[in-house]
Amino acid sequence: MLSLVIHPPEGKSIEVANIGFEGALGGIVSAGYKPAFTRAVVQIAGDGRRISLDRLDALKGRSPAIRDLFTRYADALLAQVLQSVACNALHSLEERCCRWLLMARESMGASDVAVTHELLAEMLGVQRTYVTAIVRGLQSRGIIKLQRGLIRIEEPAGLRGLACGCYDDVQRHFSCVLPPIGDLRGGLSP
């Protein structure tokens, strides 16, 4: 799972979007020719694929389906960023923390999220002590189980019930704009 992180002049950083197996980084909108505004940070290790921008541009030029897929993904990613802005301004830290854990679970396709309290605090733009209090509260309710460097989501429904609606809003938009990749394979010839 990658995080797109903003580093304001004040020195704190905050995550504005995350990218899992469903997404891509680089060459989405600007075809990689513009400087990136965010920094991409690998938060949770996993497999990835890499393609040169020249090859990607050539594929986009030959395949309207691939070009369309990247355009729709850019729209979905922008929706996540915009929802993140609203969420950070309007929702409680517990709601945001639950949303982040749900997004990480979705991105990883697993209930074990390898994240420290320090990293989670950085992604949420708060001090670690606040995150520690929240995750301990979630653990006391049986929703998560804490281990060193790992948060295991025991009750996803309970976590979803405590999260703000931003998670569901973004998921709905993704599924509307990006159908399952299997639906596109007919048009993805090399």
mmCIF file of all heavy atoms in Angstrom, residues 12-35:
data_model
loop_
_atom_site.group_PDB
_atom_site.id
_atom_site.type_symbol
_atom_site.label_atom_id
_atom_site.label_comp_id
_atom_site.label_asym_id
_atom_site.label_seq_id
_atom_site.Cartn_x
_atom_site.Cartn_y
_atom_site.Cartn_z
ATOM 1 N N LYS A 12 4.785 19.085 9.579
ATOM 2 C CA LYS A 12 3.986 17.864 9.717
ATOM 3 C C LYS A 12 3.637 17.352 8.337
ATOM 4 O O LYS A 12 3.579 18.094 7.377
ATOM 5 C CB LYS A 12 2.707 18.139 10.493
ATOM 6 C CG LYS A 12 2.907 18.311 11.963
ATOM 7 C CD LYS A 12 1.566 18.212 12.665
ATOM 8 C CE LYS A 12 1.814 18.082 14.144
ATOM 9 N NZ LYS A 12 1.220 16.915 14.703
ATOM 10 N N SER A 13 3.395 16.056 8.245
ATOM 11 C CA SER A 13 2.942 15.503 6.977
ATOM 12 C C SER A 13 1.589 14.838 7.205
ATOM 13 O O SER A 13 1.229 14.512 8.330
ATOM 14 C CB SER A 13 3.957 14.493 6.441
ATOM 15 O OG SER A 13 4.136 13.442 7.355
ATOM 16 N N ILE A 14 0.839 14.656 6.110
ATOM 17 C CA ILE A 14 -0.470 14.025 6.211
ATOM 18 C C ILE A 14 -0.756 13.294 4.908
ATOM 19 O O ILE A 14 -0.378 13.755 3.824
ATOM 20 C CB ILE A 14 -1.579 15.050 6.538
ATOM 21 C CG1 ILE A 14 -2.893 14.348 6.860
ATOM 22 C CG2 ILE A 14 -1.740 16.061 5.421
ATOM 23 C CD1 ILE A 14 -3.919 15.237 7.538
ATOM 24 N N GLU A 15 -1.406 12.162 5.040
ATOM 25 C CA GLU A 15 -1.789 11.383 3.870
ATOM 26 C C GLU A 15 -3.033 11.993 3.231
ATOM 27 O O GLU A 15 -3.977 12.361 3.914
ATOM 28 C CB GLU A 15 -2.092 9.940 4.292
ATOM 29 C CG GLU A 15 -2.505 9.056 3.127
ATOM 30 C CD GLU A 15 -2.913 7.680 3.600
ATOM 31 O OE1 GLU A 15 -4.029 7.550 4.149
ATOM 32 O OE2 GLU A 15 -2.115 6.757 3.415
ATOM 33 N N VAL A 16 -3.019 12.087 1.906
ATOM 34 C CA VAL A 16 -4.190 12.598 1.192
ATOM 35 C C VAL A 16 -4.872 11.510 0.368
ATOM 36 O O VAL A 16 -6.004 11.677 -0.065
ATOM 37 C CB VAL A 16 -3.839 13.800 0.298
ATOM 38 C CG1 VAL A 16 -3.429 14.998 1.148
ATOM 39 C CG2 VAL A 16 -2.772 13.453 -0.722
ATOM 40 N N ALA A 17 -4.195 10.392 0.146
ATOM 41 C CA ALA A 17 -4.784 9.262 -0.572
ATOM 42 C C ALA A 17 -3.892 8.051 -0.356
ATOM 43 O O ALA A 17 -2.708 8.195 -0.035
ATOM 44 C CB ALA A 17 -4.919 9.552 -2.059
ATOM 45 N N ASN A 18 -4.478 6.870 -0.525
ATOM 46 C CA ASN A 18 -3.641 5.677 -0.521
ATOM 47 C C ASN A 18 -3.979 4.835 -1.739
ATOM 48 O O ASN A 18 -5.057 4.941 -2.313
ATOM 49 C CB ASN A 18 -3.712 4.900 0.796
ATOM 50 C CG ASN A 18 -5.029 4.212 1.031
ATOM 51 O OD1 ASN A 18 -5.615 3.642 0.129
ATOM 52 N ND2 ASN A 18 -5.497 4.250 2.261
ATOM 53 N N ILE A 19 -2.999 4.047 -2.139
ATOM 54 C CA ILE A 19 -3.113 3.248 -3.352
ATOM 55 C C ILE A 19 -2.753 1.815 -3.006
ATOM 56 O O ILE A 19 -1.687 1.556 -2.450
ATOM 57 C CB ILE A 19 -2.169 3.782 -4.446
ATOM 58 C CG1 ILE A 19 -2.509 5.235 -4.776
ATOM 59 C CG2 ILE A 19 -2.228 2.899 -5.692
ATOM 60 C CD1 ILE A 19 -1.476 5.929 -5.645
ATOM 61 N N GLY A 20 -3.643 0.913 -3.323
ATOM 62 C CA GLY A 20 -3.400 -0.508 -3.101
ATOM 63 C C GLY A 20 -3.315 -1.243 -4.423
ATOM 64 O O GLY A 20 -2.969 -0.664 -5.453
ATOM 65 N N PHE A 21 -3.699 -2.517 -4.381
ATOM 66 C CA PHE A 21 -3.608 -3.342 -5.579
ATOM 67 C C PHE A 21 -4.503 -2.843 -6.709
ATOM 68 O O PHE A 21 -4.300 -3.173 -7.873
ATOM 69 C CB PHE A 21 -3.927 -4.807 -5.260
ATOM 70 C CG PHE A 21 -5.356 -5.034 -4.838
ATOM 71 C CD1 PHE A 21 -6.340 -5.273 -5.784
ATOM 72 C CD2 PHE A 21 -5.706 -5.001 -3.500
ATOM 73 C CE1 PHE A 21 -7.652 -5.476 -5.401
ATOM 74 C CE2 PHE A 21 -7.026 -5.201 -3.112
ATOM 75 C CZ PHE A 21 -7.993 -5.436 -4.067
ATOM 76 N N GLU A 22 -5.490 -2.022 -6.383
ATOM 77 C CA GLU A 22 -6.436 -1.522 -7.377
ATOM 78 C C GLU A 22 -5.893 -0.354 -8.189
ATOM 79 O O GLU A 22 -6.493 0.044 -9.175
ATOM 80 C CB GLU A 22 -7.730 -1.072 -6.688
ATOM 81 C CG GLU A 22 -7.674 0.318 -6.067
ATOM 82 C CD GLU A 22 -6.737 0.501 -4.869
ATOM 83 O OE1 GLU A 22 -6.355 -0.496 -4.230
ATOM 84 O OE2 GLU A 22 -6.376 1.648 -4.577
ATOM 85 N N GLY A 23 -4.762 0.204 -7.797
ATOM 86 C CA GLY A 23 -4.347 1.464 -8.370
ATOM 87 C C GLY A 23 -3.011 1.468 -9.056
ATOM 88 O O GLY A 23 -2.396 0.439 -9.301
ATOM 89 N N ALA A 24 -2.589 2.674 -9.377
ATOM 90 C CA ALA A 24 -1.328 2.899 -10.070
ATOM 91 C C ALA A 24 -0.740 4.220 -9.592
ATOM 92 O O ALA A 24 -1.442 5.078 -9.084
ATOM 93 C CB ALA A 24 -1.559 2.941 -11.575
ATOM 94 N N LEU A 25 0.543 4.364 -9.795
ATOM 95 C CA LEU A 25 1.259 5.567 -9.396
ATOM 96 C C LEU A 25 2.115 6.028 -10.561
ATOM 97 O O LEU A 25 2.766 5.212 -11.206
ATOM 98 C CB LEU A 25 2.142 5.266 -8.185
ATOM 99 C CG LEU A 25 3.011 6.396 -7.672
ATOM 100 C CD1 LEU A 25 2.136 7.496 -7.087
ATOM 101 C CD2 LEU A 25 3.977 5.886 -6.634
ATOM 102 N N GLY A 26 2.105 7.307 -10.830
ATOM 103 C CA GLY A 26 2.925 7.861 -11.898
ATOM 104 C C GLY A 26 2.278 7.680 -13.260
ATOM 105 O O GLY A 26 1.663 6.670 -13.539
ATOM 106 N N GLY A 27 2.374 8.682 -14.097
ATOM 107 C CA GLY A 27 1.849 8.578 -15.445
ATOM 108 C C GLY A 27 0.339 8.527 -15.527
ATOM 109 O O GLY A 27 -0.217 8.159 -16.547
ATOM 110 N N ILE A 28 -0.344 8.882 -14.435
ATOM 111 C CA ILE A 28 -1.800 8.804 -14.413
ATOM 112 C C ILE A 28 -2.399 9.912 -15.267
ATOM 113 O O ILE A 28 -3.093 9.668 -16.236
ATOM 114 C CB ILE A 28 -2.351 8.902 -12.969
ATOM 115 C CG1 ILE A 28 -1.709 7.864 -12.059
ATOM 116 C CG2 ILE A 28 -3.865 8.784 -12.963
ATOM 117 C CD1 ILE A 28 -1.946 6.451 -12.440
ATOM 118 N N VAL A 29 -2.117 11.147 -14.917
ATOM 119 C CA VAL A 29 -2.701 12.285 -15.627
ATOM 120 C C VAL A 29 -1.644 12.988 -16.465
ATOM 121 O O VAL A 29 -1.817 13.213 -17.650
ATOM 122 C CB VAL A 29 -3.339 13.278 -14.629
ATOM 123 C CG1 VAL A 29 -3.867 14.490 -15.350
ATOM 124 C CG2 VAL A 29 -4.435 12.596 -13.846
ATOM 125 N N SER A 30 -0.513 13.324 -15.836
ATOM 126 C CA SER A 30 0.490 14.160 -16.495
ATOM 127 C C SER A 30 1.453 13.355 -17.341
ATOM 128 O O SER A 30 2.377 13.922 -17.906
ATOM 129 C CB SER A 30 1.282 14.933 -15.436
ATOM 130 O OG SER A 30 2.039 14.024 -14.660
ATOM 131 N N ALA A 31 1.266 12.060 -17.434
ATOM 132 C CA ALA A 31 2.174 11.179 -18.171
ATOM 133 C C ALA A 31 3.602 11.284 -17.631
ATOM 134 O O ALA A 31 4.552 11.006 -18.339
ATOM 135 C CB ALA A 31 2.124 11.470 -19.670
ATOM 136 N N GLY A 32 3.727 11.699 -16.374
ATOM 137 C CA GLY A 32 5.025 11.703 -15.723
ATOM 138 C C GLY A 32 5.945 12.843 -16.119
ATOM 139 O O GLY A 32 7.091 12.875 -15.717
ATOM 140 N N TYR A 33 5.476 13.804 -16.911
ATOM 141 C CA TYR A 33 6.353 14.868 -17.372
ATOM 142 C C TYR A 33 6.333 16.089 -16.473
ATOM 143 O O TYR A 33 7.063 17.030 -16.699
ATOM 144 C CB TYR A 33 5.978 15.281 -18.800
ATOM 145 C CG TYR A 33 6.153 14.143 -19.778
ATOM 146 C CD1 TYR A 33 5.065 13.635 -20.458
ATOM 147 C CD2 TYR A 33 7.400 13.564 -19.989
ATOM 148 C CE1 TYR A 33 5.218 12.579 -21.341
ATOM 149 C CE2 TYR A 33 7.558 12.512 -20.863
ATOM 150 C CZ TYR A 33 6.466 12.021 -21.545
ATOM 151 O OH TYR A 33 6.613 10.977 -22.400
ATOM 152 N N LYS A 34 5.514 16.095 -15.469
ATOM 153 C CA LYS A 34 5.424 17.222 -14.545
ATOM 154 C C LYS A 34 5.988 16.779 -13.196
ATOM 155 O O LYS A 34 5.918 15.610 -12.843
ATOM 156 C CB LYS A 34 3.963 17.644 -14.355
ATOM 157 C CG LYS A 34 3.225 17.890 -15.649
ATOM 158 C CD LYS A 34 3.588 19.237 -16.230
ATOM 159 C CE LYS A 34 2.696 19.556 -17.397
ATOM 160 N NZ LYS A 34 3.327 19.696 -18.647
ATOM 161 N N PRO A 35 6.501 17.724 -12.420
ATOM 162 C CA PRO A 35 6.968 17.317 -11.082
ATOM 163 C C PRO A 35 5.771 16.903 -10.219
ATOM 164 O O PRO A 35 4.693 17.472 -10.321
ATOM 165 C CB PRO A 35 7.639 18.578 -10.532
ATOM 166 C CG PRO A 35 7.087 19.701 -11.343
ATOM 167 C CD PRO A 35 6.698 19.135 -12.680
#
